[in-house]
Structures are given as C-alpha cells and as structure tokens.
Amino acid sequence: MSKRAENREKNTQKMLEGALIVFENKSLESAKMTDIAEAAGIGVASLYRYFQTKADIALQVGILYFEEVNQQLKKILEKKLTGREKIELMMREYQNKDETSIRFFKFVEELDHYIEQVEQKPERIKAYEKVIYEQLPNFEEALKEGIEDGSISESINLKYTLDTINHTLMSLKQKFSTRGHVVSIDTEEAHDGELELLISIFLSYLKNGL
C-alpha cells in the first residue's frame, strides 16, 4: 500500500470513529457534518472531501456494523456443532443485550428510515445492501449442514425459513432497541420472553418440519 493510500485509510477510519461517537449520542436526523468533524478532530472541509453527504458516512458506519455481525456468524459456522445447533447460536445473537448490540439495532433502524427520506440515494447504498445480504449465506450454510447431518428436517423450505428467521427476529429486536418500553407490556421481561419463544418455535420447526 502506498503512503498516500495508507494516509487516506487512516483518515477515513478517524472520520468513521468520529461519526460513531456522534451517532451514539444524536439521532441521524439531528446529527450534523460539523458534529462529526469536531468529534474526529478534523476540519469540516476535510470531511467533505471524503464523504459528500451525511448519508454517505452513515451508510459506511452501517457497513462497519454489519461486517462485525457477519464475522460473528462466520465464527459460529466454524464450530464443530450440528447445523441446528449453529442456527440456534446465530439466532441467540439477537438476545445479546450489551451496549454495542443495542446501538447496532437502534442505528440500523434509524438508518433505514433516514435513507428512505433522502431523495437522491447515494451510490454507496449498493455496498450497504451487499453487506446486509452477506448474512444470509451463513444462515443458509448452517441450514444445509443441518439437513445433511439430520438435525434439521428435509421438509423445511430453505428460502422462507431463512427470510422468516431473520425478518422476524430483527424486527422484534429493533422494536425493543429503538422504541423501548412505550406501553406497560413492553417490558424487558417481555422482550426476553418473546425472543425466547420465537427461537423455541423456530428450533421446533427446524427439527420436525411441518
């Protein structure tokens, strides 16, 4: 790597770290490029040379978040477990309640809504979509392994199972991460119980099929 490319990479990382700090404390709607530049310790003109819009830098932050998720899923795939056991561990990632996990789900929901409001969507959205879909092959591989080793029923529909697991668990996790306890039934106990019930239903389906 040339010195120039190395410096550009370091500067980009510095800006993304600044953006992470800002997005943890402000909504995407209220955050400003000047806030990000200040958090990164650079001039706002320098920030604009790397990222033309706030949407550009927000999408890149989203890419970093999903890359970390995908790495975690790949580590699960490498374990010496049945396919069904691997799927269970992947689903239980949604039960993670550490600060990083909560920030991830909150940010992703905000980013989805924010990008919908941007009239001219940045080209970078293609890279963001790509990294989201890179989760699916990990789940699919575990499902196929389970069918081969007999821990998952051959009667399941791979596509619908894959989409339903991810869409359902993601939606529930985002609800509790972003909207909190709006009404009395939205308690932490309810959050834990609903996720556990969903995972149990999916595991039963994977084992027995319909």
Side-chain angles (χ1 to χ4, degrees):
M1 182 186 292
S2 68
K3 189 67 175 178
R4 183 176 181 180
E6 186 177 335
N7 286 338
R8 183 173 182 82
E9 186 174 306
K10 286 181 179 178
N11 289 337
T12 300
Q13 185 61 35
K14 189 176 181 181
M15 293 171 190
L16 290 174
E17 288 172 0
L20 276 168
I21 293 170
V22 172
F23 295 148
E24 285 175 10
N25 295 287
K26 292 188 175 185
S27 67
L28 275 174
E29 190 68 37
S30 63
K32 299 177 181 178
M33 292 291 271
T34 50
D35 297 327
I36 296 171
E38 183 178 347
I42 61 170
V44 70
S46 297
L47 180 62
Y48 275 111
R49 282 200 292 271
Y50 285 75
F51 300 97
Q52 294 182 352
T53 68
K54 182 170 62 174
D56 278 327
I57 196 166
L59 283 166
Q60 190 59 40
V61 169
I63 287 170
L64 291 178
Y65 270 127
F66 273 106
E67 284 177 344
E68 179 61 30
V69 170
N70 292 339
Q71 285 302 313
Q72 291 300 111
L73 295 180
K74 287 176 182 177
K75 287 179 182 178
I76 292 173
L77 272 180
E78 293 169 0
K79 294 180 181 290
K80 293 182 179 180
L81 300 169
T82 66
R84 185 168 172 271
E85 288 170 334
K86 291 178 182 180
I87 286 291
E88 179 175 358
L89 287 181
M90 290 179 181
M91 290 193 293
R92 293 201 180 281
E93 285 292 308
Y94 287 98
Q95 291 180 306
N96 193 335
K97 293 193 287 185
D98 64 32
E99 285 300 315
T100 301
S101 177
I102 297 299
R103 285 199 300 268
F104 163 70
F105 286 104
K106 182 177 180 181
F107 178 80
V108 168
E109 172 128 321
E110 280 191 10
L111 181 57
D112 287 347
H113 289 301
Y114 181 71
I115 294 303
E116 286 177 0
Q117 297 170 13
V118 178
E119 290 186 9
Q120 302 207 350
K121 297 182 179 180
E123 187 68 18
R124 200 183 295 268
I125 197 170
K126 293 181 179 179
Y128 178 63
E129 289 176 342
K130 180 176 180 291
V131 77
I132 291 175
Y133 292 131
E134 283 174 357
Q135 293 180 91
L136 302 183
N138 297 307
F139 279 88
E140 185 175 12
E141 185 175 336
L143 287 170
K144 288 180 177 178
E145 285 182 14
I147 292 172
E148 289 177 6
D149 65 33
S151 63
I152 293 177
S153 171
E154 293 182 355
S155 69
I156 70 163
N157 182 300
L158 267 177
K159 178 179 177 0
Y160 291 147
T161 300
L162 192 63
D163 292 343
T164 303
I165 286 174
N166 282 283
H167 291 160
T168 307
L169 293 175
M170 186 74 165
S171 296
L172 184 60
K173 186 67 178 184
Q174 284 181 315
K175 174 186 181 298
F176 281 101
S177 297
T178 59
R179 293 184 284 280
H181 312 316
V182 177
V183 295
S184 59
I185 61 171
D186 287 340
T187 63
E188 188 168 336
E189 184 180 356
H191 164 262
D192 295 341
E194 288 177 41
L195 275 174
E196 186 61 39
L197 178 58
L198 275 174
I199 290 172
S200 296
I201 290 171
F202 283 132
L203 288 173
S204 178
Y205 166 68
L206 291 176
K207 181 180 179 180
N208 303 308
L210 292 176

